[in-house]
Amino acid sequence: MSQSQSGIGGPWNELTDASGQTRPHWQALAGRIGRWTLEERRGLAVSARRMVEDLGTTFNVYSDAGGAGQPYELDCVPLVIPAAEWVKVSAGLMQRARLLNAVLADIYGPQTLLKKGLVPPDLVHSNPTFLPYVCGIQPPGGRHVVTTGCDLVRGTNGQWSVLEDHVGTPGGLGQVYENRNVIANLLAEAFEEMKVARLGDFLNYERAVLQEFALCRGEEANIVFLTPGFRHPSYFEHAYKARMLGFPLVEFADLTVRERRLFLKTLSGLRKIDGVVCRVHEDGIDPLEHWNGGDGVPGMLEAWRTGNVAIANAPGAAFGSCPALMSFLPRICREWFGEEMKLPFVETWWLGQADVRARVFEDFQRYILMPASTRHEAFLPLRCAGLSSAARRQWMATIEERPHDFVVQADLMPSEAPSLEARSVRQRPVLWRAFTIHGGEQLMVLPGGLARVGKSNQSPQLWQTHAGFTKDVWVTEAEVTLPRSENRFPKSAGPHHHRAPDVPSRIAEQMFWVGRYAARVELATRLLRVTLRFLGSEMGRQQQDQLVACLNLLEASGLIPDGSVIHPARALKTLTALVHDPAVSGGIPGLARSLVFNAAAARDRLSDDTWRFFNRLEHIVKPPAGPPGIGDLQATLDKLVLHLSAFAGMQAENMTRGQGWRFLELGRRIERAYGGIRLLGRAAEEGDGESLILDPLLEVCDSVMTYRRRHFSRPELDRVIDLVFFDRTNPRSVAYQFRVIHAEVPRLTDRPEFGLMPRIRDQAQALDARFDELTPPDVAGLGAMAESLEAFSDSITQHFFSHSVRRVY
């Protein structure tokens, strides 16, 4: 068999040869690394970490196990691969992609591999990733596999070998592009000097292949990128990749099946879907086929089976990733292609054969014991050399009971490459994940990839997801050496007419609540800031009364429970909790968490600059190490106000006036109007004339200077109502919010008479018409207006965010 053996001696050194000399393709970068001072090394690490954090990157892509939110670490020193070596590896990867696609087509088709004995039937039928219901199905587009990933390890002999295939839901391309953006920015001079291969052609080719692969019923295929949701560990990668491809990022709740066709729930109705880029394991796609007690799209696989939608990669493709299949591929390649495998693989044995088990048991300590499929198995993988005699015998007995469930791989030492740490550059073990696009007769390999760095000297099969970090992969001297092709991209059938993308209803709802929660955070921040100002001043009788008035406004806004009595001496403790304690109901940390929660679910709709705002928001209100003083709290709230103003500016200046922006704006205006009505209602309860509650109310509404310019007197209720309630020129007034709402409602849909739109339009008209009356509202009138506003918001939800009435296009 064509299996690479781990050699004798130390691991291969990517940087230097056996004589200690720097390898030619590393020399330009190695010279720079050697000249880095301690401060420069620290600065690079800090800059990389800040850029990654600003983008909100979490977790990594080598496993779908673990919890979301684990730190994503990026090594500033790339893994450098010479172009000549990449060309050789890419030829092997293209051969492997063709072979795996052919194997899957046969396993789910005529099954000649089983009939000729090239693959044992027990290997197939005992494997949980083999899906019998796929047999006999010709996938739309004719290919089971479009994108493949392959983990490569360089052995002690200097040869790259295949450690693992990723065929079902290959992940990591999003991180590849992000890593490249960060590292090419930090090491710009070296990047240009070393003529590093660009990644843009691969992305363009992938987009073109997916467009051609999907069943196109019109001028352009409707393709979506399916993710399990923002709670999934690899969600950032999904969002980043979807945005780069230009496909809508969708979740299960965004899709529905009607009459064996897949539809996207959009604001305009149900839109037919031609293709799905799927990043959900096949057992979670359709609960009618795989009941796992979770989510899914009922009927989606039936829509695929009947040829009404293409899925990349196809259901059942995960069988191609099984380690058990690896040792049978060389013979299949010789039989079918008449050639040897161009890329060897790490010594791997499936233990379902008695003679193989006997040989493996004779030298058991040489191997890593692993599950035969890609499914999780308790206690595996494990290093056989580390087992006691009793444990070894117990595992051998378990293998004899169910041999089809296990494989072994050689225990090996991966190559080592320089890695930047806090104080030094040291050698660390690395793996290289490479990617291939299968475009029918034409394949393309990414000139680069994702390198995973190990933090221990364990075998790479044992690396835990959270125990390492990644680095960029540079293919050097690319301008001179890499092969060129004039016909890389599939030709489209005709001209493409770009139109504004449809917004899924779920995304519109998330954006709506982003607007509402942003306004809530802003109101809470301004209320707490003005309260702290009175708390921090010299505490005379008047200041105490002002503080009580501020606490009264806090109660009216819902920040503190109704009827709460807070003594001024204990006010600082209460305010500190509202600013920093995430357990306090209605406090800023809880509101900020809800804001980020909704923004994360619409990550692909937000620019990087906008996401930086959300990513830093929770850091601002993170509890300090020690008890904060009044000045510390005020500084925190001042920073929050600036960040919220920056977000408002980005929304106003940077966001396209599409439906996503419109619902964000609508949510913001509804919440700001609601907050103003509640504050004015509490002020009206105090009675006419002057009141201590009016000064902080004007400050919260950012209208102090306007009031002073108009009235050279202390605030009076009727004049405050005129400015904060009636004045349509004041961006903070209630009237201004309803003016914007009334103007935007007709633009929400191109079907003004459908569903609840007449009611929504009438509600907006009635709310806006109230300001044509000159009668100041009383407490009851303000309460009635708040109820009408809530009813208007409910109508928006019923009409746009659910699809009880069918609208198909």
Side-chain angles (χ1 to χ4, degrees), residues 210-539:
L210 289 168
Q211 286 281 359
E212 184 188 54
F213 177 76
L215 295 175
C216 186
R217 295 186 178 87
E219 295 179 345
E220 187 172 350
N222 294 326
I223 300 178
V224 295
F225 197 109
L226 179 61
T227 174
F230 77 95
R231 293 185 182 278
H232 190 271
S234 299
Y235 175 76
F236 172 83
E237 193 254 336
H238 301 163
Y240 199 89
K241 182 70 184 300
R243 191 159 51 126
M244 296 195 71
L245 288 171
F247 300 152
L249 184 70
V250 302
E251 300 178 16
F252 298 127
D254 298 322
L255 302 175
T256 186
V257 174
R258 308 285 174 89
E259 299 174 357
R260 297 183 179 182
R261 287 177 171 80
L262 186 67
F263 293 92
L264 174 66
K265 303 173 187 176
T266 76
L267 295 173
S268 300
L270 300 179
R271 179 184 179 188
K272 293 179 183 178
I273 296 302
D274 302 307
V276 178
V277 181
C278 187
R279 288 298 179 265
V280 179
H281 288 303
E282 50 216 3
D283 59 0
I285 294 177
D286 188 341
L288 299 182
E289 303 286 350
H290 295 272
W291 175 248
N292 57 10
D295 296 318
V297 184
M300 180 170 167
L301 290 182
E302 179 64 16
W304 171 77
R305 262 197 299 262
T306 52
N308 290 322
V309 66
I311 300 178
N313 289 338
F319 179 77
S321 301
C322 294
L325 184 64
M326 192 175 294
S327 61
F328 298 92
L329 293 177
R331 184 182 173 189
I332 299 172
C333 188
R334 287 193 296 271
E335 292 274 347
W336 283 2
F337 294 172
E339 56 191 33
E340 296 293 332
M341 296 286 288
K342 297 178 182 179
L343 265 180
F345 58 92
V346 174
E347 182 184 353
T348 305
W349 301 102
W350 177 59
L351 300 182
Q353 298 165 300
D355 57 336
V356 171
R357 283 200 306 279
R359 290 198 305 269
V360 168
F361 285 169
E362 289 177 0
D363 205 6
F364 202 43
Q365 70 278 0
R366 287 186 54 240
Y367 298 104
I368 304 294
L369 183 63
M370 303 166 56
S373 74
T374 57
R375 303 297 176 86
H376 176 72
E377 179 88 21
F379 308 112
L380 296 183
L382 61 83
R383 188 168 182 259
C384 298
L387 296 174
S388 65
S389 297
R392 190 177 301 120
R393 287 193 299 271
Q394 185 177 357
W395 273 108
M396 287 181 177
T398 301
I399 292 170
E400 289 289 358
E401 290 175 0
R402 45 189 184 97
H404 308 111
D405 294 340
F406 300 98
V407 299
V408 291
Q409 273 193 334
D411 194 348
L412 53 84
M413 290 184 295
S415 62
E416 294 183 343
S419 175
L420 179 64
E421 297 188 355
R423 292 181 171 273
S424 63
V425 177
R426 59 174 297 180
Q427 296 292 106
R428 289 288 192 187
V430 292
L431 297 180
W432 172 19
R433 179 174 290 188
F435 297 90
T436 307
I437 293 294
H438 197 308
E441 295 182 359
Q442 202 171 48
L443 290 90
M444 187 176 187
V445 177
L446 180 75
L450 189 70
R452 185 180 175 194
V453 185
K455 289 188 175 180
S456 70
N457 293 323
Q458 287 184 314
S459 298
Q461 299 97 326
L462 303 177
W463 291 358
Q464 296 297 316
T465 301
H466 62 276
F469 51 100
T470 67
K471 59 168 68 196
D472 193 14
V473 178
W474 287 7
V475 175
T476 61
E477 298 297 329
E479 295 179 7
V480 178
T481 315
L482 293 190
R484 300 286 177 179
S485 173
E486 296 300 325
N487 298 313
R488 262 185 185 172
F489 307 108
K491 294 182 179 180
S492 58
H496 291 275
H497 300 284
H498 297 285
R499 57 186 176 84
D502 295 304
V503 177
S505 303
R506 178 188 56 84
I507 295 294
E509 185 175 15
Q510 302 291 352
M511 297 296 280
F512 178 76
W513 283 102
V514 165
R516 295 203 65 165
Y517 276 111
R520 288 183 189 180
V521 173
E522 182 184 22
L523 178 63
T525 301
R526 291 182 176 277
L527 277 167
L528 291 171
R529 189 171 66 161
V530 69
T531 305
L532 280 168
R533 184 168 62 81
F534 287 113
L535 184 63
S537 62
E538 184 178 350
M539 192 58 70

Side-chain angles (χ1 to χ4, degrees), residues 100-115 119 123-125 127-139 143-145 167-168 282 290 304-305 313-322 325 336 374-375:
L100 288 172
N101 193 70
V103 167
L104 290 169
D106 180 78
I107 289 294
Y108 292 115
Q111 296 190 338
T112 55
L113 290 173
L114 305 185
K115 297 172 184 175
V119 174
L123 185 153
V124 176
H125 296 297
N127 200 304
T129 59
F130 172 72
L131 306 180
Y133 63 77
V134 177
C135 291
I137 305 299
Q138 177 70 9
R143 296 188 298 281
H144 287 266
V145 175
V167 183
E282 50 216 3
H290 295 272
W304 171 77
R305 262 197 299 262
N313 289 338
F319 179 77
S321 301
C322 294
L325 184 64
W336 283 2
T374 57
R375 303 297 176 86

Side-chain angles (χ1 to χ4, degrees), residues 769-788:
R770 169 64 181 86
F771 301 96
D772 295 332
E773 304 175 17
L774 299 180
T775 306
D778 55 14
V779 175
L782 290 167
M785 178 169 276
E787 291 177 1
S788 298

